[in-house]
Amino acid sequence: MTIVWCSNYEELSRKAAAIIASQIIIKPTSTIGFATGSTPIGLYANLVKKYQNKEISFANVKAFNLDEYITGSREVGWSFSSFMQTHLFSHVDIPEENTDIPNGVAEDLEVECARYSEALSEVPGGLDYQILGIGTNGHIGFVEPNEFYPLDTHIVDLAESSIIGQRPFFEDWSKIPTRALTVGIRPIMHAKQLLLIASGPEKSEILQKALFGVVTSKVPASILQLHKNLTVVADKEALADILANNPECSL
Ligand code: F6R
């Protein structure tokens, strides 16, 4: 595991974008797993800048997203699919047919889960890079704390802290969906490289538990310790507990 210490969110966003941009430059046909949420917004803004400066092209990139709300109908409006359009896809040259995300309004959600799991399993050698955030309860994607690790795409009832975590995106909190489709642990752990990003004091305690605590499905992100290519890019507030508990880590 490599931990990249950043002094603030701007630096985190720049460094995380540099990692993903390098991947795209080295392999223009990369398949990348994208995350949504507050943390990657700055990373995506930096990728858009790099695209505008002609440093990178997404023309041959393939994109898979981690998760999507189950909303019952498209009328509900806000979705992770629209998040990706707003923050990245509509600003770069990625062909629409190169992007995939679980369909939260599919008629048969179980069939949709099977379709998405199969699509991910067909990526040769696994995703080149998987971008991840972390929930305050340790979730990755929407793999919530549980007695076991779900392997493939499934329907999930969101934990209360996960619903609260979505408040920045909803004016009316009563409209936050309570169910989602999410990938399981298999495509994440099969990815060749993982980039975990975390920002702010509310991530500090869980980051310490996930990266240095016991590996347990009750802290889903703890399984990332077992991945051979994990890079964590985090700001000093998110790294505070790690630094406090590991006095040998000096900066
Ligand atoms: C979203 C996702 C979630 C978020 C996590 C952190 O696609 O996979 O696991 O990464 O909830 O969210 P933020 O960045 O909003 O703190």
Side-chain angles (χ1 to χ4, degrees), residues 126-137:
L127 300 167
D128 290 299
Y129 239 112
Q130 173 66 62
I131 300 166
L132 296 165
I134 183 169
T136 52
N137 65 354

Side-chain angles (χ1 to χ4, degrees), residues 35-40 66-67 80 132-135 139-142 165-166 169 203:
T36 56
S38 307
T39 319
L66 285 166
D67 40 20
F80 287 156
L132 296 165
I134 183 169
H139 73 214
I140 42 173
F142 273 137
Q166 297 302 317
F169 299 104
K203 298 294 170 69

Side-chain angles (χ1 to χ4, degrees), residues 9 34 36 58 69 75 90 94 176 193:
Y9 179 71
F34 288 93
T36 56
F58 290 78
Y69 285 131
E75 311 312 311
S90 71
I94 192 162
I176 304 176
Q193 303 189 79

Side-chain angles (χ1 to χ4, degrees), residues 64-207:
F64 284 91
N65 264 82
L66 285 166
D67 40 20
E68 180 59 287
Y69 285 131
I70 297 173
T71 53
S73 99
R74 289 198 191 279
E75 311 312 311
V76 177
W78 204 88
S79 63
F80 287 156
S81 166
S82 60
F83 173 99
M84 290 309 297
Q85 290 301 327
T86 304
H87 293 287
L88 184 62
F89 295 158
S90 71
H91 306 288
V92 299
D93 58 347
I94 192 162
E96 202 191 326
E97 62 274 19
N98 283 12
T99 68
D100 204 350
I101 184 165
N103 178 3
V105 294
E107 214 166 282
D108 187 329
L109 294 171
E110 294 291 353
V111 169
E112 175 58 9
C113 287
R115 178 199 72 80
Y116 203 65
S117 295
E118 196 180 334
L120 281 164
S121 73
E122 283 169 357
V123 178
L127 300 167
D128 290 299
Y129 239 112
Q130 173 66 62
I131 300 166
L132 296 165
I134 183 169
T136 52
N137 65 354
H139 73 214
I140 42 173
F142 273 137
V143 175
E144 299 283 23
N146 209 327
E147 297 302 319
F148 59 91
Y149 274 115
L151 290 178
D152 291 309
T153 310
H154 58 284
I155 299 168
V156 64
D157 290 319
L158 298 179
E160 200 183 334
S161 65
S162 305
I163 296 169
I164 292 170
Q166 297 302 317
R167 284 183 178 173
F169 299 104
F170 289 82
E171 272 173 29
D172 179 352
W173 293 349
S174 70
K175 298 235 163 77
I176 304 176
T178 57
R179 293 197 312 152
L181 298 180
T182 180
V183 300
I185 245 33
R186 192 193 319 257
I188 295 174
M189 292 305 283
H190 276 178
K192 293 177 191 125
Q193 303 189 79
L194 300 179
L195 171 63
L196 174 65
I197 51 176
S199 169
E202 62 283 0
K203 298 294 170 69
S204 177
E205 191 182 340
I206 194 64
L207 204 58

